[in-house]
Amino acid sequence: VIAVLCYVVPAIGLGSHLPGVCVILNAVLLTLLVIMASLGKRMVEMYERRAYAQVAAERTMRAEAEFKLSQSQESNASTTPPRSEKDDMSSIACTSLPETLCSAYLPCPTIHECRREEILEMFVNSGSHDKLPGHEVPQAIDTYAAALELMCDHALGGALVCIADAEAFQQ
């Protein structure tokens, strides 16, 4: 309102070099511009309020889910005998499934532990093992050993390795 009055009062009171129709038209256009800007600002404010309410609701649901999880873990801890750390790690995938995945059955992962030397020994002594192509070639064994070294020394979170002949990558 003040923006419109700051134009209209001086233009009419002091006069303008523009004809009266142009002053009125400019005042109407300025009024429409102010109305549209205020409506746009109001719409943005309403959107931000809805987004904030949604974030608050999601945080509430997350807090409730974490509370339910802690309650179930406490009740499980009081009714089951103490387990080793290895058992805790293998069952963590089954106990922490989100509620939204109820339709999906995910079995607990099977964890096999072995040393680097045992894996390398398998590569070297695979003899008739048909899943390791080129195991009889020293260069292939060196490639397997280098990939194993990279996985053991650098890929602490897990790794997927694909080893193939150069021709296979060109297909």
Side-chain angles (χ1 to χ4, degrees):
V1 175
I2 293 177
V4 175
L5 290 177
C6 284
Y7 172 74
V8 171
V9 170
I12 294 176
L14 298 175
S16 174
H17 67 284
L18 298 173
V21 175
C22 288
V23 172
I24 293 174
L25 181 63
N26 286 343
V28 168
L29 291 176
L30 183 60
T31 304
L32 287 175
L33 183 65
V34 169
I35 289 172
M36 293 302 200
S38 64
L39 286 176
K41 185 172 179 164
R42 180 70 54 178
M43 290 173 62
V44 167
E45 181 181 351
M46 288 172 39
Y47 170 77
E48 287 175 348
R49 286 177 185 237
R50 279 192 304 258
Y52 179 77
Q54 183 180 4
V55 167
E58 289 173 358
R59 286 183 180 174
T60 303
M61 289 189 319
R62 180 178 177 159
E64 289 173 355
E66 288 175 354
F67 178 73
K68 286 180 185 177
L69 180 63
S70 68
Q71 292 297 321
S72 68
Q73 287 176 348
E74 287 175 6
S75 67
N76 286 343
S78 64
T79 59
T80 58
R83 298 182 301 185
S84 69
E85 183 178 320
K86 181 180 175 184
D87 291 341
D88 287 341
M89 292 305 290
S90 66
S91 66
I92 200 164
C94 293
T95 60
S96 66
L97 287 176
E99 292 178 5
T100 57
L101 293 178
C102 291
S103 62
Y105 172 73
L106 300 175
C108 289
T110 304
I111 299 174
H112 300 282
E113 294 181 10
C114 57
R115 294 187 331 269
R116 178 189 304 194
E117 294 80 19
E118 293 172 347
I119 298 173
L120 190 56
E121 183 72 23
M122 181 196 69
F123 287 144
V124 172
N125 296 330
S126 61
S128 64
H129 201 285
D130 59 342
K131 292 185 180 179
L132 295 174
H135 63 275
E136 63 279 348
V137 180
Q139 183 181 3
I141 294 174
D142 291 342
T143 302
Y144 290 137
L148 181 63
E149 180 181 344
L150 285 172
M151 286 191 328
C152 292
D153 294 341
H154 300 287
L156 299 178
L160 172 67
V161 177
C162 177
I163 300 174
D165 292 328
E167 296 83 33
F169 289 111
Q170 295 173 356
Q171 294 180 355

